Amino acid sequence: MNWLFSHSKGSGPLPPLNSLQQQRQRQIDSLKDAHPSLAEIQKDVEYRIPFTVNNSTLTVNILLPPQFPQEKPTVSVYPPVGHHLVDSNNGTIITSPLITNFGMHSDLGKVIQSLLDEFWKSPPALMSSGPSGFPYMYKPSGIPPYPTQGFHYAPRHVGQSQTPPPAPPHPSVDGVHVPPRAPPSYGLVTDLALPTGDTQLGLNGHIYKMPEIPESFPDLCELNLSQLSEMSENEGVLLEFFVTLPQLKQITNDKEELLTNIVSLAKNNLQMEPQLEGKRQEMLYKYEQLTQMKSTFESKMQRQHELSESCSLSTLQARLKVAAHQAEEESEETAENFLEGRTDIDEFLTSFMDKRTLCHSRRAKEEKLQQSINTYEQFSSSH
């Protein structure tokens, strides 16, 4: 055991790590390199990583068993959440295949990073209930529990080395000290949720500030032993005292005020309902007009496109070419009829000259249009 004390006489060098210890250290180094915010709870045994998802701070706890990495680590999340990677029975133990299939050749840093990436891609849903402190998985002597968050009430979890908060002074009668009694379980009182901070956030985002909770109740110190016993054994007396607390009266008054405001807002909303309905009908009418105008616009755009296509230079040139060819065929048909003796010379001259003139006119127009097209293309290419 001399190697434990590096400054003692005759102490030699530290014994070399075996293969399992070297692999364990490599895994821990990988975890530290991948996560700078890693908190070491118990050296080489337990680590914790805080992270934030959707304005909620969660904590991943990593517990390394003695034979790690031959044995897979135990990874949990707190507070309890609902997620496809978390055990649905307790909401804390992570059951991802990356953990259940962890082996000697796995990388702990990358595995934990993959879990965090999955939490960011698919945020977990916080469960409505759970213990008020982080459940320590490794509890050696001398390790303090998870630090409290500065709430008015101390956490229910008390570690092995934590000293419970001092109890309030117990009353005495005639100089005789009365030993403390365990309070009975009143369903209506013990079911009340402990405050989780100075404010409560409602479903509609309204922030309500809770009244200050005193550390002691002076009215209880003025009661004698019989009155305290009666209050302890009689739920009705206890509830009567509880109802008279100024903090509860303040909450009741705030509740009534909020209800009054809600009713007032509801009445205002009902008064604005006809105006809202009128605006809705006007919007529907204008939407119908918009639909009709859109349909008209699309039909006119289609007509404009057809006219644009029919009046393009290439279309006009093609039509001129067809019309010139048609006039030429008609003039040739007139000449054949004259040669076969079907028409006289006067009718032939009149008809043939007209059709040949029309044919040459169309050909000239077609050639002139082709020159215009070539000139336009050369101008466009040069610029």
Side-chain angles (χ1 to χ4, degrees), residues 24-84:
R24 182 189 187 95
Q25 190 59 46
R26 281 196 294 268
Q27 295 283 359
I28 295 174
D29 292 340
S30 171
L31 182 63
K32 292 180 179 179
D33 294 339
H35 304 280
S37 61
L38 181 72
E40 185 177 70
I41 307 304
Q42 176 69 14
K43 182 176 175 58
D44 297 342
V45 176
E46 187 174 8
Y47 297 89
R48 186 170 296 155
I49 302 175
F51 68 100
T52 302
V53 177
N54 288 348
N55 296 326
S56 299
T57 300
L58 306 178
T59 306
V60 171
N61 196 78
I62 306 157
L63 181 66
L64 306 180
Q67 297 300 318
F68 176 82
Q70 288 182 350
E71 297 180 13
K72 60 179 179 292
T74 302
V75 183
S76 59
V77 63
Y78 187 84
V81 297
H83 196 269
H84 65 276

Side-chain angles (χ1 to χ4, degrees), residues 106 113 117 138-139 183 200 285 377:
S106 301
Q113 184 61 47
D117 292 341
Y138 180 78
K139 297 182 180 180
Q200 296 290 337
Y285 174 72
E377 291 179 352

Side-chain angles (χ1 to χ4, degrees), residues 1 53 89 139 146 157 183 220 222 234 251 260 335 337:
M1 298 293 289
V53 177
N89 295 325
K139 297 182 180 180
Y146 191 71
H157 171 73
L220 292 178
E222 299 176 358
N234 190 336
I251 293 177
T260 303
N337 291 335

